[in-house]
Amino acid sequence: MELGNYLILNDKTIKILLSIFGPQIREFGKGETILEKSWKENRLCLLLKGTAYLCIDNEYGDKQLLDFFVKGQILCHEMLPAPNDGHCCLYAKYPCAIAYLDRRAFAQYADRNPSAPLADLLFDMFRACLSAQNEHCHILQQKTIRGKILAFLHCQNARQKKNAIHIPIPYSDLADYLAIDRSSLMTELSRMHTEQLIEKKAHDIRLLQ
């Protein structure tokens, strides 16, 4: 289990959760909705495979990418904003598998086993959701395109803990996430590569400075 701005459960922790709670598991095809703000959903959704997008309809009726989630992350109703107007949902960008964890069963287990490693996990899940929102705000507050890119790369570096950062979403979606257009993103990445700030190879980027 890795804690930081994001909570990402490793395979060992996922296996323990599945064996203890025996949750319902559901498959979602590409484009299918996993959660909507209008639903009364009180379960925690553990992403077992795939990539999920948190999107909101903007004033033009287009989907705007607010965040994205990968295997080992927790999806919950609280992470969806409550817009005055427009539709907000979590959907499967690529085919996903979700394990539904019952909050009450989780809390009861923590009460019965206060010293167990999983006892603090429920709190960590909600803290991670809030931290993820703060991280995206920090990225968007950067004044320049390069600043947004570097802030994003440093966040991904801290999360992935690898020398080569894998960009887990298409560059067109990354541009949406950074609130810039795709051509500006690709131009700036090329400049950073030329200036030897980064080494870019397809969807893998290495920070050199």
Side-chain angles (χ1 to χ4, degrees):
M1 179 170 57
E2 299 174 6
L3 289 176
N5 286 337
Y6 280 82
L7 173 68
I8 301 179
L9 305 184
N10 58 32
D11 289 339
K12 180 180 178 181
T13 304
I14 291 174
K15 186 176 180 179
I16 292 172
L17 285 174
L18 297 182
S19 64
I20 291 176
F21 299 104
Q24 173 193 0
I25 297 177
R26 181 179 170 186
E27 300 273 348
F28 291 86
K30 181 178 179 179
E32 288 191 313
T33 300
I34 298 170
L35 275 175
E36 281 194 17
K37 189 61 181 180
S38 59
W39 297 354
K40 293 182 178 179
E41 180 61 69
N42 195 35
R43 295 177 295 182
L44 298 172
C45 305
L46 172 59
L47 189 54
L48 299 178
K49 75 172 184 180
T51 304
Y53 278 13
L54 171 58
C55 290
I56 189 171
D57 291 347
N58 61 24
E59 60 271 24
Y60 303 107
D62 299 321
K63 277 187 169 51
Q64 181 178 349
L65 178 60
L66 298 181
D67 215 333
F68 60 91
F69 304 89
V70 296
K71 177 186 175 182
Q73 289 188 263
I74 298 294
L75 316 176
C76 64
H77 196 263
E78 286 79 4
M79 68 173 52
L80 276 68
N84 295 326
D85 196 11
H87 177 242
C88 182
C89 71
L90 277 157
Y91 77 95
K93 172 64 177 179
Y94 304 112
C96 291
I98 298 290
Y100 289 97
L101 299 170
D102 183 88
R103 298 186 192 216
R104 184 175 300 177
F106 209 109
Q108 289 173 348
Y109 176 86
D111 287 339
R112 292 194 304 267
N113 305 274
S115 61
L118 296 180
D120 295 328
L121 190 56
L122 187 61
F123 169 77
D124 291 332
M125 288 174 180
F126 288 108
R127 184 187 66 180
C129 291
L130 179 60
S131 296
Q133 295 170 2
N134 291 339
E135 184 174 284
H136 193 199
C137 288
H138 165 70
I139 293 170
L140 294 180
Q141 285 174 346
Q142 304 308 306
K143 303 296 185 184
T144 64
I145 292 174
R146 179 169 295 191
K148 290 181 179 182
I149 293 172
L150 286 173
F152 171 78
L153 291 176
H154 281 295
C155 289
Q156 287 294 309
N157 185 47
R159 189 205 303 195
Q160 297 182 23
K161 296 180 173 29
K162 294 180 180 178
N163 290 331
I165 302 161
H166 178 69
I167 307 301
I169 59 177
Y171 281 110
S172 57
D173 293 339
L174 177 58
D176 188 20
Y177 179 79
L178 298 177
I180 56 180
D181 64 76
R182 187 183 186 280
S183 60
S184 298
L185 170 64
M186 302 311 294
T187 298
E188 190 60 34
L189 285 173
S190 296
R191 286 174 181 161
M192 293 169 69
H193 180 85
T194 301
E195 295 173 20
Q196 297 186 333
L197 293 174
I198 63 171
E199 182 179 272
K200 179 179 174 294
K201 189 176 294 185
H203 272 253
D204 292 322
I205 296 178
R206 186 186 303 272
L207 285 166
L208 301 180
Q209 295 185 24

